[in-house]
Amino acid sequence: MGCHKPSCNNEQHQEGVVEDTDDDQNNVISDSPCEDSDTKKRNNFSVVSIIQYTYSTVLLVISLVVVATLMATQQTQLSQITHPAVAFCLLGFLLLWLAMLEGVQASLVAIAPIRKELYQDSHPTTSKVTRLVHKGNNMERFIVGRQFLVVLVVFLVNLCGATLPESKIEWLPPILHSIFVGTGLALVLVTVIIGKLTVQVNATKYMLDVNNNCFVLYLVAYASLAVEYSGLLHSVYLVQIVIAKITGKSRGSNDSPRTVLQTVFFWIRVLFSCSVLVFGFAVAISALFSRNTTMWKGVPPAVSVILFLLLMAISGLMEGMQIALLAVVKFPEEEISNFSVAKKSCDLAFQGSNLQAFLIGRQTLFTACMFIVARIIAPEVELGQGENIYGVSDQIQLALFNSNLLGTLITAIAASLIWRVVASSAPLQFLSNPLTYIILRLCLIVNASGLCSAAWLLARIQKWMLRFQSDDEYLGAAARREDESIRDVEMQGTVVSRDSDVESH
């Protein structure tokens, strides 16, 4: 992309991908005139990486102990109303589910161009997953449904491990207590490192192995497509259609044209999704103004509403920036130069390994925003007291409102999917927002802090335990077998031809 391409580094630009290289978090040094200076930098970075690994791992261990202590002493939302063992088991399952949801998307996007015949024998479940997700427009549907599940799982993790206002760990020093318990940093680090980055690191290099299990097939692929099929998120498609009309860009489709019945069913789901979205916002705003949420006590309702909308916008910008930056990689320099603010962001993002660093920092900040949003809008109404929202029955209050399902829906749509659609339709215009440059800088600072460096160490441990192998090893062996089979067929054909010639003579 002109001057935006780094001269001495070898980068990988994939959506949501964290590149795993021989230099750990830094790109591989190429054979170039600047090799000597880069080697010195690599040596310095190695020392820095060791320091970051060490203190990040220490922080992760402290965070795990803090979360476990709070759950064991029934000082989290879920452990307070159930047995701590239930909260422990559910949190473990949710982190596993989140890890697969995050890692699988990156690998399914990257594995799409590879012929499925090359791995259908060595990785039969991966083959089933890819044949399902890569069929027609299923990849788009999968991403839409998956995003809802990601937000849902993060909200449920918050339910399992979020602290109560009066939560206190006696043995923890006051400063550490304020940092890990007061700010909620402990749960954020556990979620980001274990539930997001670790599998993403391995999913970029061991795509076939990561996807080759029934968990991915049923609880990620089928579950995501089922959520999308339900119509809960179809309001996103309405936004997509409107933007396509405004920009004049037609929406390509890999599906066959819809029948009349399919068209009617599609628009019914769009109407249903829009109605639920509006209702969800109404419930959230009503609960905030009536002080019936888990928002910190003492915060005025108006401030809660402003903070809620602000965090939704920041989260949406981070989601859209990821799409926009990856979209403009192949844009000509002349076109980018027409947008001064966007060019400034692109120059920074494509400098060295900054794009990779942004993707990592974005994960941390986005997760933190989701936890705060969940805290702000999660309804907290005591049943049987006549204070139910809109006077609904206790059953509806518990199942629909107190469970925060509506909060999950509006967050997935309004803080993620809509922004992604806008960014993909007009990436340079999206990056022309001055806030995107500020957010980009903030994400780079978060990544440079090394808070989540332990993810690379855990990724190595996971690779060793599960015996992951490089995709090149599998695909190379399959290609060789295919070539040998072709040669065998050709030799057999030659032998048959010679035999026929002998018989004819």
Side-chain angles (χ1 to χ4, degrees), residues 80-102:
Q80 189 181 44
I81 60 176
T82 63
H83 194 280
V86 175
F88 274 115
C89 294
L90 182 58
L91 180 61
F93 171 76
L94 290 172
L95 290 176
L96 173 62
W97 195 8
L98 181 62
M100 301 312 295
L101 285 167
E102 290 289 356

Side-chain angles (χ1 to χ4, degrees), residues 15 101-109 139 142-143 146 420:
E15 179 181 348
L101 285 167
E102 290 289 356
V104 166
Q105 173 181 318
S107 59
L108 287 179
V109 172
M139 190 66 199
F142 167 79
I143 292 175
R146 169 205 160 275
R420 284 174 171 239

Side-chain angles (χ1 to χ4, degrees), residues 141-142 145-146 149 218 220-234 269:
R141 300 185 183 101
F142 167 79
R146 169 205 160 275
L149 291 178
Y218 293 106
V220 177
Y222 277 120
S224 298
L225 292 174
V227 168
E228 190 278 340
Y229 185 79
S230 70
L232 284 170
L233 307 167
H234 269 52
R269 287 182 289 175

Side-chain angles (χ1 to χ4, degrees), residues 23 29-30 34-46:
D23 195 27
I29 305 300
S30 60
C34 55
E35 183 175 0
D36 292 338
S37 61
D38 281 345
T39 302
K40 293 179 181 179
K41 292 181 180 179
R42 181 176 61 178
N43 292 335
N44 293 333
F45 284 149
S46 297

Side-chain angles (χ1 to χ4, degrees), residues 161-215:
T163 59
L164 300 172
E166 64 277 6
S167 296
K168 187 174 182 61
I169 301 178
E170 298 294 340
W171 52 265
L172 199 62
I175 295 179
L176 294 181
H177 194 281
S178 299
I179 295 174
F180 287 95
V181 179
T183 65
L185 178 64
L187 189 60
V188 171
L189 289 180
V190 169
T191 304
V192 174
I193 296 175
I194 298 178
K196 285 179 173 281
L197 293 179
T198 298
V199 177
Q200 277 193 351
V201 170
N202 283 331
T204 61
K205 197 171 183 180
Y206 314 109
M207 298 180 290
L208 297 177
D209 283 342
V210 167
N211 288 281
N212 197 43
N213 58 82
C214 292
F215 193 104

Side-chain angles (χ1 to χ4, degrees), residues 441-460:
R441 281 286 186 187
L442 187 58
C443 290
L444 293 178
I445 292 173
V446 170
N447 174 74
S449 70
L451 283 173
C452 300
S453 297
W456 276 262
L457 178 61
L458 293 181
R460 292 176 182 274

